[in-house]
Amino acid sequence: MVAAVIVGIVVGLVSIVPFRIATKKIRTVNPTHSLDMLAPFLLTIAASFVVLVAGLIVCKMAASDVLVPFAAAELLAFVVGVIVFGVVLSKRR
């Protein structure tokens, strides 16, 4: 179970990587075009959830008895990571 929690934390943190890519892309967009800024972030959120769901599917197929701790660790790591990412991003500006 400890291994499932650690892997869940890693998958949760890996799912934040698209946010970093989107912030790099968003800096090249003209700030007056709000729809151009919205598209990368919507795709980022979709990509993050694809990573999270893929991790859950792999865990369900590999070891379904530790699915709940894996999912809890994955979700907690994702939420904490997004909050930290937002705080760090706001401190830079």
Side-chain angles (χ1 to χ4, degrees):
M1 186 164 92
V2 175
V5 171
I6 292 171
V7 172
I9 290 171
V10 169
V11 171
L13 293 177
V14 166
S15 66
I16 299 172
V17 172
F19 285 99
R20 179 71 179 136
I21 296 168
T23 54
K24 284 184 178 183
K25 265 199 157 331
I26 210 82
R27 292 177 190 204
T28 63
V29 174
N30 187 355
T32 59
H33 298 132
S34 60
L35 286 179
D36 291 341
M37 295 174 73
L38 180 66
F41 277 117
L42 290 177
L43 290 173
T44 298
I45 292 169
S48 292
F49 282 120
V50 165
V51 171
L52 291 173
V53 170
L56 286 174
I57 291 171
V58 168
C59 181
K60 173 70 175 165
M61 290 174 23
S64 61
D65 57 332
V66 293
L67 184 64
V68 173
F70 176 83
E74 185 182 46
L75 181 64
L76 186 65
F78 177 72
V79 169
V80 169
V82 168
I83 291 171
V84 168
F85 181 77
V87 168
V88 169
L89 193 64
S90 68
K91 293 288 183 182
R92 282 192 207 164
R93 293 180 184 176

